[in-house]
Amino acid sequence: MADLLIRGARLVGGGGDPVDVATTEGVVVDVRPASTRPSGGEAADLAADGRWLMPGLWDQHVHPTDWAAVGHRLDLRHAGTVAACLEAVAARLAERPGEEVVATGLWCAGWPTRPVRADLDRFDVPVALLSGDSHSAVMNGAALARYGLAADADDDGWVTEAAWFAVMPTIGTADDATRDRWVVEAGRRAAARGVVGIVDLDPHDTHAAWRRRVAAGFAAHRVRAGVWLDHLDDALAAGLRTGDPVPGAGPLVTMGPFKVIADGSLNTGTAHCRHPFPDGSVGAMNIDDATLTAAMTRAATGGIDAAIHAIGDAALTQVLDAFERSGARGTVEHAQLATPEDVARMAALGLAASVQPRHLVDDRDVAEVLWRGRTDRAYAYADMARAGVELRLGSDAPVAPLDPWLTIAAAVLRTGDERPAWHPEQRIDVTLALRSSWGGVTGVAPGAPADLVLLDDDPLALDAARLPGIGVAATICAGNVTHATL
């Protein structure tokens, strides 16, 4: 960690007078009025030339393996019909004969019909179309056989929830070394958008994966590497507490939270809800109350925070019950549909809401169908903030792009197209959206981590619709420049 002097920057929210910011050993040690003289010492100079400096940005919910793989898979985000999906698969096979097809970004909850195994069985190679919400996939017979999922699929070839999560990180022909290289490359792209840290909630052995990636040269940002239930005991046996360095993974990778996906998702129709979906189902929990509470208690006793996924309002109530019984600390992940009573309970329990504003942009139309009459309490970020719930913003990449500026704009605007804001009463302002993206840091001040981003414009002065295009001049993580255009 080299010493660094950032010269002539203006602090976001700091009044506009230029300052020099000195860092040593990855920590901010001084913020003083700007000097016209070079440092003359051992520190490297970074000339800000009046650009805007603030804490670097975090994405609080990422699945790095699949996020990094998206650019190497068939993209179905713009396919609006089953026929369009099949045409895309056929075109890929024409380009790459005999190659397995893995497609991402399938958003078909609002379609009259969805793709099924019979549609895909016309292809003689394994074909898997992954739902955009990452909670399910539809496969042909060859893919079901390859991944041992024939008994787990429904009659239409769809594999959902636990059976899907078990194989999700292994889908495709790429080996670990290739996937790791993709993650290293994706980390550099994230740094170019001002990212200094992510929370990794992948369903495999994240600690082993980051040891490999760091050995392969990863140094783009910090990582809080979470564990799922099947790796919790290993973390406890190693004596790891949330925030501890992960042994063998370098200074940027620390122990993250204990992750449980307690219920399903909106688009897959498996979120556990108080009121039925149009087909009469109410979704379901993926874990029973006793098992969830016992696991959260073990984690809390060992000093590991919990990150518990709850999308439906019924699931949120049960998850909050488990937090209360276990005494665990941590976050509710997503909290996409919440009663006012449960918003108040989250605040009373001291829990943070790890939320993904871009989801409301992607989900608004399907939510109006599947959660008709209840969308006033969907993605209720303003209600949470008013109640005293800490918001932590993220993407759930690959479900949404890992770009914090898209995330911030979605939280502020609550729209991603020409339509008016969806439930504008739940908008939050830019200041709160930024602070909710700083990873727990409150500003650029002595003693804070030297995790910083230098911007071409003041984000507080920009029209929110322009935030996704803001220029990132430099990103500094632990005092090291990880991206620069200067």
Side-chain angles (χ1 to χ4, degrees):
M1 298 180 187
D3 293 351
L4 178 69
L5 179 65
I6 304 167
R7 299 178 57 241
R10 290 180 285 178
L11 299 183
V12 172
D17 293 331
V19 296
D20 292 345
V21 177
T23 78
T24 299
E25 294 297 315
V27 177
V28 175
V29 294
D30 194 17
V31 179
R32 57 182 181 264
S35 169
T36 58
R37 300 186 304 275
S39 63
E42 297 299 321
D45 277 6
L46 183 67
D49 294 329
R51 291 179 175 85
W52 296 87
L53 187 72
M54 70 176 195
L57 298 164
W58 277 76
D59 190 309
Q60 296 284 345
H61 190 125
V62 181
H63 299 282
T65 305
D66 283 276
W67 158 55
V70 163
H72 304 272
R73 292 172 171 173
L74 176 62
D75 185 357
L76 295 179
R77 283 175 298 175
H78 302 295
T81 63
V82 173
C85 292
L86 299 178
E87 289 171 8
V89 173
R92 172 58 67 95
L93 285 172
E95 296 171 0
R96 306 178 186 180
E99 186 176 305
E100 176 180 359
V101 177
V102 177
T104 61
L106 176 63
W107 295 99
C108 61
W111 297 0
T113 58
R114 64 177 187 170
V116 296
R117 172 180 172 170
D119 298 319
L120 304 178
D121 275 340
R122 71 185 66 183
F123 305 112
D124 58 3
V125 300
V127 176
L129 312 185
L130 281 53
S131 175
D133 62 11
S134 293
H135 275 249
S136 58
V138 60
M139 302 182 181
N140 64 2
L144 292 172
R146 172 173 179 178
Y147 296 104
L149 293 170
D152 298 297
D154 67 15
D155 292 343
D156 289 333
W158 281 84
V159 182
T160 62
E161 302 301 332
W164 167 241
F165 298 139
V167 301
M168 187 174 76
T170 66
I171 290 289
T173 57
D175 59 14
D176 283 344
T178 300
R179 296 175 197 270
D180 290 343
R181 186 180 73 251
W182 292 345
V183 171
V184 172
E185 294 166 353
R188 296 192 192 107
R189 292 194 296 272
R193 300 306 295 146
V195 172
V196 298
I198 67 169
V199 178
D200 176 357
L201 297 176
D202 257 347
H204 59 179
D205 186 347
T206 59
H207 294 184
W210 285 107
R211 290 187 189 100
R212 295 194 312 267
R213 293 162 186 168
V214 169
F218 182 90
H221 52 65
R222 298 185 189 272
V223 179
R224 297 171 185 159
V227 295
W228 284 35
L229 185 56
D230 52 350
H231 294 288
L232 175 61
D233 286 341
D234 291 340
L236 291 170
L240 290 173
R241 303 171 69 88
T242 294
D244 288 349
V246 171
L252 297 181
V253 183
T254 57
M255 176 68 197
F258 164 52
K259 169 71 184 297
V260 176
I261 295 188
D263 74 329
S265 70
L266 170 63
N267 282 272
T268 294
T270 47
H272 187 35
C273 300
R274 293 170 178 266
H275 301 92
F277 289 103
D279 66 1
S281 68
V282 293
M285 296 293 283
N286 288 327
I287 187 170
D288 64 82
D289 290 344
T291 302
L292 178 61
T293 300
M296 291 173 67
T297 301
R298 294 206 322 276
T301 301
I304 299 175
D305 291 348
I308 312 300
H309 161 124
I311 286 183
D313 50 1
L316 178 57
T317 298
Q318 291 183 236
V319 164
L320 295 181
D321 290 345
F323 269 109
E324 193 165 7
R325 288 190 298 263
S326 66
R329 308 183 332 168
T331 59
V332 176
E333 302 295 317
H334 311 303
Q336 286 184 1
L337 190 65
T339 65
E341 294 79 12
D342 278 345
V343 170
R345 286 183 72 196
M346 288 174 65
L349 289 167
L351 302 175
S354 173
V355 297
Q356 300 75 39
R358 186 71 190 179
H359 290 0
L360 72 89
V361 172
D362 295 330
D363 290 349
R364 64 184 291 178
D365 294 324
V366 72
E368 288 292 357
V369 175
L370 301 184
W371 285 345
R372 181 176 296 278
R374 290 167 278 166
T375 55
D376 59 313
R377 49 189 182 84
Y379 317 90
Y381 306 146
D383 284 351
M384 293 177 190
R386 280 191 292 267
V389 176
E390 177 193 351
L391 298 177
R392 300 181 185 177
L393 304 191
S395 65
D396 199 11
V399 179
L402 201 164
D403 185 331
W405 299 104
L406 288 173
T407 296
I408 291 165
V412 174
L413 297 172
R414 290 187 73 94
T415 188
D417 52 33
E418 72 285 351
R419 291 180 292 178
W422 187 53
H423 289 290
E425 72 278 5
Q426 295 295 349
R427 293 167 64 169
I428 62 175
D429 63 29
V430 176
T431 298
L432 178 56
L434 286 173
R435 291 183 179 276
S436 301
S437 303
W438 287 350
V441 175
T442 58
V444 180
D451 300 339
L452 307 165
V453 59
L454 189 64
L455 304 168
D456 290 334
D457 297 291
D458 178 2
L460 297 180
L462 281 181
D463 184 290
R466 293 179 57 197
L467 287 172
I470 196 168
V472 177
T475 305
I476 299 101
C477 179
N480 297 310
V481 177
T482 55
H483 162 77
T485 61
L486 302 177

